[in-house]
Amino acid sequence: MVSGMNLSEYEKRWVVTGVALNKVLLPDLRSFVNQEVQKEYTNLVSSHSIHVQTTGSSLGKWLKVRLKYENINCNENYKLANGKYDYSKFDFKVGNHVDLAKLYLLPFMAKFNSFDEHCDLSAVLNLLGSVRVFPTAIQAAAKNVRDQVRNYWAHCNFTEWDAAKFQRSFKNMDNLIRKLGLASNDETKLLNELHDWNTKG
């Protein structure tokens, strides 16, 4: 755990929260999102032929979420003189579930080609909070972790990391894990790891 470092208590809490987010929580969240977005992609291939869609047949929105086709198939290169995208030249075929995931993200988050270490926590939490396949309870819990934990951690002001902020952060992470509906053994293992960092970190 965090020891032998010349850090203030505030800095230690920030470090421990970062470990919990990126080393404990993220790998399991990434795996979960990978699996569930694959299901959503299979459904959209069947229901909307998303893998062969064209300019005239593409889904512009899916359940109120605007899909960002500029994030796939090098479409970001097709721009008009005014800087806006030339959608008439876009390739709207969504070839796999990773490309489907990219449609939900801001361009700077969509720089990954698989659900590996290049798919970071920001992207994963945004996917959990916006892709239709995830129930409302998961979306809400993911947004809480994104807004109340990850964003504060990433844009750090050490003085904010008092004991109360630290405990709230772990409570939000704990709540998200419980909402995922993981197998009992997997959930228990993950919760125990978080608990160890919370109490011993």
Side-chain angles (χ1 to χ4, degrees):
M1 301 299 179
V2 179
S3 60
M5 302 171 73
N6 188 23
L7 300 175
S8 71
E9 292 303 308
Y10 292 89
E11 290 168 328
K12 287 177 184 176
R13 293 185 194 107
W14 177 82
V15 169
V16 170
T17 303
V19 172
L21 284 169
N22 294 290
K23 301 300 183 185
V24 179
L25 192 63
L26 177 56
D28 285 271
L29 289 185
R30 196 187 277 138
S31 176
F32 179 78
V33 169
N34 181 38
Q35 173 184 302
E36 296 303 311
V37 173
Q38 176 68 69
K39 292 179 186 176
E40 178 75 335
Y41 178 71
T42 300
N43 290 337
L44 286 172
V45 166
S46 176
S47 64
H48 290 81
S49 300
I50 198 169
H51 60 308
V52 293
Q53 63 185 358
T54 61
T55 304
S57 68
S58 65
L59 285 174
K61 289 185 176 181
W62 182 232
L63 299 177
K64 301 181 180 179
V65 177
R66 185 184 81 78
L67 301 178
K68 301 173 185 70
Y69 290 96
E70 59 268 27
N71 292 341
I72 64 171
N73 301 330
C74 298
N75 288 333
E76 74 274 9
N77 296 324
Y78 299 116
K79 289 190 175 180
L80 301 167
N82 62 9
K84 294 184 178 180
Y85 290 111
D86 185 353
Y87 294 104
S88 68
K89 295 181 178 177
F90 273 24
D91 178 355
F92 286 93
K93 299 180 188 72
V94 184
N96 55 62
H97 73 296
V98 176
D99 279 354
L100 175 63
K102 291 180 182 183
L103 300 184
Y104 288 88
L105 298 172
L106 293 171
F108 72 90
M109 294 181 189
K111 304 300 183 186
F112 56 92
N113 295 314
S114 64
F115 285 95
D116 57 15
E117 65 276 4
H118 299 291
C119 181
D120 67 13
L121 184 62
S122 178
V124 168
L125 290 172
N126 274 277
L127 290 169
L128 281 168
S130 59
V131 181
R132 180 195 77 89
V133 72
F134 301 115
T136 303
I138 291 178
Q139 292 186 8
K143 287 176 181 175
N144 282 340
V145 171
R146 183 192 68 200
D147 296 343
Q148 302 301 319
V149 188
R150 185 269 167 196
N151 287 353
Y152 276 91
W153 176 82
H155 307 286
C156 174
N157 176 353
F158 288 124
T159 61
E160 295 175 337
W161 288 92
D162 59 18
K165 172 68 178 170
F166 183 73
Q167 291 304 323
R168 284 194 303 273
S169 296
F170 274 84
K171 184 176 180 180
N172 280 326
M173 288 186 273
D174 185 284
N175 182 54
L176 175 56
I177 291 167
R178 293 178 188 277
K179 291 289 189 284
L180 297 179
L182 301 173
S184 179
N185 288 345
D186 293 336
E187 179 182 290
T188 300
K189 178 178 178 292
L190 196 49
L191 290 172
N192 286 343
E193 285 185 61
L194 269 189
H195 179 74
D196 282 348
W197 279 101
N198 184 3
T199 58
K200 303 172 187 176

